Amino acid sequence: MKNIDWKHLPFQYSKTDYNVRSYFQDGKWGELEVSQSEYVEIHMASTCLHYGQEIFEGLKAYKGKDEKIRLFRVDENAKRMRRSAKGILMPDIPEDLFIEAVHKAVTLNKEYIPPYGTGATLYIRPLYIGVGAEVGVKPTKKALFLIFVTPVGPYFRDGFNPVDIMICRDYDRAAPLGTGTYKVGGNYAASLASLQAAHDNGFATTLYLDAREKKYIDEAGPANFFGIKGNTYVTPESTSILPSITNMSLMQIAKDMGMKVERRKIPIEELEEFSEVGACGTAAVITPIRKIVDPDKNKFYNYTTDNKPGPVSTKLYNTITAIQFGDEPDKHNWITMID
Ligand code: PLP
Ligand code: COI
C-alpha cells in the first residue's frame, strides 16, 4: 500500500503506475495494452481535438472492511459509454471490453486503493477519443479507448455536509436536443463559465435550468438533482441531463425504503416545497444542499437551519455507501468484486 494521506485526499489527479489502452482501427478493436506513460500520442488532425469526439466515464473502486475491492454498477457505465458513442457517432465500444479494461486498470494499481474508513476511493476514468485524421466535419474511423485511475477524496470539499448553490440564467450547459444526455467533454466546456461565476460568488456549483424555457430544474453542476417532499423522492426528467447511475440507484433505494419516486419536470417554484434537496453522482455521492440562491429573482431557498444534512438524505447516503463498501447486502446485484 502506498504511503498517502488518504484521509485528506482532494478530488484531483495524482499519478498511479499503469493505465490501459485499446485502439479501434480498420474496423476492429486491438489488444488491451498496459502503459506506464501518462501521455497519448495522437495525430494533430484527430477528430477529438477539432470536432469534440470525446467521451468519458466516471466510476469508483471501493475497499471494504474485508479488504475486498468492489465496483459499483460497472455494467451501467459500460452501457452509458456505448450510448454516448452512438450519440456522437464514434465506433461502437463493446461492454465486455469496457468491463475487462476497468478490472485490469484497478488490479494493476491495487496499491492506490484507499483503505476502508478513510472516506476515499479509487476514481476510475475511462476515456474514449476519436484519433482519426479528418479536416472535414465527419466521424472518426479510428479511436482510442483508455482508462486511468487515481485515488480521490470527496468532490465537494466538505464531503457529506451541506453546500450552497446558485441558479445561473446567463449560460446553458446543454440544448434540449443536444448532447447533454451523453457524457461528452463539450458539455463540460460549456459549463465552465457558469461554474466559474458560481465559484466567484462563493457557491459550490451551479443549478442549471432547462435551456428552452428556464422554468424547470435540470441538474446541479456535475451531478443530478433530487428533492424530498413528504415521503416522495422527486428528480428531474429532462432531455438535456446526464442519466446518473447514482440517481438511478437512489431511486431504487428510496423505493426500498418505502418512499414514492417521481421522475418528472420540476418547476423552479416547487423548490419552496421540498424539505431536503441534494446533488448526486459518482464524484458527488450525495451532497446535501443548504441553500439555493436565485440572484436574478432576488430569492433564496433554505433547507437547513442547523447546518446538518436532512434525515432522508442521510439515510440514502448511508445506504448507498454501505452497499458500495460492502457493509450491507447487495440485494440488487450492483456490485462486482475485483479479484
Ligand atoms: N450529471 C453530470 C453532468 C455528471 O457529470 C455526472 C457525473 O458522472 C452525473 C450527473 C452523475 O452521474 P453518475 O451518478 O452516473 O456518476
Ligand atoms: C463523476 O461523478 O464521475 C463525474 O464525472 C463528475 C466529474 C465531471 C468530476
Side-chain angles (χ1 to χ4, degrees), residues 19-87:
N19 56 81
V20 297
R21 306 169 181 213
S22 178
Y23 285 91
F24 180 87
Q25 56 189 333
D26 304 323
K28 55 179 192 303
W29 283 95
E31 286 293 298
L32 196 57
E33 300 160 17
V34 176
S35 170
Q36 283 188 281
S37 169
E38 290 175 280
Y39 295 89
V40 288
E41 192 171 334
I42 59 174
H43 195 285
M44 61 188 174
S46 289
T47 64
C48 67
L49 297 177
H50 299 260
Y51 304 129
Q53 280 200 307
E54 188 274 349
I55 297 168
F56 68 99
E57 270 301 327
L59 67 158
K60 286 171 169 173
Y62 305 82
K63 190 179 273 180
K65 216 182 264 171
D66 55 8
E67 296 284 309
K68 294 202 169 114
I69 301 151
R70 291 166 174 81
L71 299 173
F72 184 70
R73 307 195 78 172
V74 57
D75 51 323
E76 291 295 337
N77 291 94
K79 275 191 215 150
R80 191 169 64 190
M81 181 164 265
R82 212 169 160 201
R83 189 177 153 272
S84 298
K86 198 163 174 217

Side-chain angles (χ1 to χ4, degrees), residues 11 56-59 80 123 125 155 183 188 222-223 281-284:
F11 190 91
F56 68 99
E57 270 301 327
L59 67 158
R80 191 169 64 190
Y123 188 66
R125 174 50 66 88
Y155 187 74
K183 204 159 167 62
Y188 298 81
T282 299

Side-chain angles (χ1 to χ4, degrees), residues 149-170:
V149 299
T150 190
V152 295
Y155 187 74
F156 290 108
R157 207 185 42 220
D158 296 336
F160 188 58
N161 277 310
V163 299
D164 297 340
I165 67 171
M166 182 182 108
I167 294 178
C168 182
R169 287 184 175 73
D170 296 343

Side-chain angles (χ1 to χ4, degrees), residues 199-216:
H199 288 165
D200 288 349
N201 287 290
F203 294 96
T205 192
T206 317
L207 183 63
Y208 294 106
L209 303 181
D210 78 285
R212 186 183 282 128
E213 297 185 87
K214 303 270 187 213
K215 267 193 182 165
Y216 303 100

